[in-house]
Amino acid sequence: MKKIAVLTSGGDAPGMNAAVRAVVRKAIYDGVEVIGVNRGYAGVIDGDFVKLDKSSVSDIIQRGGTFLRSARCDEFRTKEGRQKAAEQLRKEGVEGLIVIGGDGSFTGAMLLNEETGIRTIGVPATIDNDIACTDDAIGYDTAMNTIIDAISKIRDTASSHERAFVIEAMGRHAGFLTLAAGLAGGAESILVPEMKFDMDKVCENIQAGYEEGKIHSIILVAEGVEMDGQEFTTNRDVNESNAFLIGKEINERTGFETRVSILGHIQRGGSPTGRDRLLASRLGAAAVNAVLSGETNKMVGLIHNKVEVAEIRDAIEGNKEFDEELYELANILSI
Ligand code: ATP
């Protein structure tokens, strides 16, 4: 194999740059040329390619975001779009494509391979950490630390004013990030999409804490928290998020002054942690190994701290199990 391409796609995650750097440097080490694709699949269709050499990836290991940029591309969801992409890659002489992104990006990579024969290898990068066949995805650790930092700062103001704070973390469908950050950040309650919660219990916790002298309370809520079966006394205003509704309800039921903080996109930004840089470096290099050894339609991941290669379909269709024991532990430790 003489030439491969690399792209970043879907939601950006801190550590994507470190992964691109690892792909480029490992490929050059192995005597293979690397083309960077700007703007994810949109850039493949447009032939927006840039030759990358070892100095193109200097000074990026510490940078958040992705210098190749990312994009959502609807045209790539069509067969015609993927054919166009394959033609562009063939024209450029690219024999293998490394896709750094989440499960949507992996689905695109799988279809591209099945329909056109272009060799594809996925590298998991998403702050949600919801991809099966890997314990960790690139960006998750940095986002977790960003949330923990935010919790600590909010706790300062919560204590000063004796308030309850509902903090909304990213996670429309998965609560891995919220659970990990909530546990490590010492949140009093953690509400996620995977587990039904009991509003009475959340309020009892706040009240019990207050009676025992706790002067603040942190309730960490994932965007897509499971709200089915909840009977709320307050009504949802138009377009009001779950976090605001929960905040209002806590105030109504406990009388505790409540504030809501939506962390939003700061969770995606920032310099990647050492752990994310390490993961990105290992997986980026492993993706090059995989493609050069003839693998295709695969994903590289980390299982029990060992690099493993899995079928990309298993990563897409597999369900990453929510750690109920960890959730239970978080509840126990927040008494
Ligand atoms: P994140 O988990 O951070 O959202 P993601 O990779 O899942 O990342 P998506 O927006 O779902 O992000 O997907 C990124 C791109 O991958 C899409 O814009 C589209 O071009 C391509 N893609 C997603 N789903 C499909 C699909 N079913 N078929 C073909 N291409 C797809």
Side-chain angles (χ1 to χ4, degrees):
M1 198 170 281
K2 293 212 168 57
K3 205 189 243 188
I4 62 172
V6 59
L7 61 80
T8 51
S9 168
D12 61 311
M16 279 181 159
N17 282 327
V20 174
R21 171 182 181 270
V23 167
V24 172
R25 297 248 166 115
K26 179 67 167 70
I28 290 171
Y29 176 83
D30 289 331
V32 174
E33 203 180 315
V34 189
I35 296 294
V37 182
N38 288 320
R39 300 177 294 111
Y41 291 125
V44 191
I45 291 174
D46 297 343
D48 190 355
F49 302 141
V50 50
K51 185 173 164 14
L52 297 175
D53 57 30
K54 63 181 179 175
S55 60
S56 331
V57 290
S58 294
D59 199 28
I60 63 163
I61 195 169
Q62 78 284 11
R63 277 198 239 154
T66 160
F67 84 105
L68 287 177
R69 286 164 283 147
S70 187
R72 314 260 184 204
C73 174
D74 286 335
E75 195 180 352
F76 196 78
R77 291 174 185 270
T78 66
K79 213 169 173 170
E80 296 71 36
R82 293 190 290 273
Q83 290 294 341
K84 261 198 225 171
E87 278 160 34
Q88 293 283 17
L89 290 169
R90 288 209 182 92
K91 207 164 77 188
E92 186 66 33
V94 168
E95 294 165 272
L97 176 65
I98 294 177
V99 173
I100 303 168
D103 57 353
S105 305
F106 284 7
T107 305
M110 181 177 75
L111 295 174
L112 181 71
N113 175 261
E114 288 172 357
E115 292 165 5
T116 71
I118 299 279
R119 287 181 179 279
T120 51
I121 300 288
V123 176
T126 164
I127 64 166
D128 291 335
N129 198 25
D130 57 349
I131 298 179
C133 306
T134 187
D135 293 337
D136 282 325
I138 296 163
Y140 168 65
D141 187 61
T142 307
M144 174 171 56
N145 280 290
T146 299
I147 298 172
I148 292 168
D149 188 43
I151 292 175
S152 305
K153 286 175 174 153
I154 288 172
R155 196 192 297 281
D156 290 344
T157 168
S159 306
S160 307
H161 290 277
E162 301 193 3
R163 281 174 180 155
F165 257 90
V166 176
I167 304 175
E168 186 196 88
M170 277 186 173
R172 287 205 194 100
H173 309 289
F176 302 101
L177 179 62
T178 303
L179 171 58
L183 174 48
E188 275 67 30
S189 295
I190 300 169
L191 314 184
V192 292
E194 292 86 347
M195 307 291 288
K196 282 202 164 20
F197 72 94
D198 181 346
M199 196 66 208
D200 290 338
K201 220 166 152 207
V202 171
C203 292
E204 274 164 28
N205 266 355
I206 295 172
Q207 239 141 8
Y210 187 64
E211 277 154 27
E212 286 165 16
K214 231 182 211 182
I215 52 173
H216 65 259
S217 211
I218 303 284
I219 300 97
L220 190 67
V221 178
E223 279 168 296
V225 54
E226 174 62 67
M227 296 293 275
D228 271 4
Q230 298 292 337
E231 280 180 26
F232 277 27
T233 52
T234 49
N235 289 323
R236 191 191 289 268
D237 290 338
V238 185
N239 293 332
E240 191 174 53
S241 70
N242 293 327
F244 275 100
L245 184 62
I246 290 167
K248 254 190 340 199
E249 187 72 14
I250 290 171
N251 178 251
E252 180 77 19
R253 290 197 196 184
T254 65
F256 219 84
E257 203 181 329
T258 309
R259 293 286 184 275
V260 180
S261 189
I262 311 287
L263 299 183
H265 284 80
I266 62 161
Q267 294 164 91
R268 284 199 184 282
S271 178
T273 57
R275 228 186 125 119
D276 268 330
R277 295 181 200 191
L278 210 55
L279 178 68
S281 301
R282 291 177 77 184
L283 295 187
V288 173
N289 280 342
V291 78
L292 294 190
S293 61
E295 300 275 22
T296 185
N297 230 358
K298 298 276 169 32
M299 181 203 89
V300 291
L302 208 66
I303 305 276
H304 299 143
N305 204 25
K306 265 189 67 193
V307 172
E308 302 278 354
V309 180
E311 293 294 333
I312 209 159
R313 184 179 289 281
D314 292 344
I316 297 161
E317 293 175 359
N319 229 345
K320 189 161 192 166
E321 212 176 311
F322 187 73
D323 193 340
E324 291 190 19
E325 262 178 47
L326 197 66
Y327 187 75
E328 194 47 49
L329 179 64
N331 282 331
I332 291 169
L333 300 185
S334 66
I335 52 171

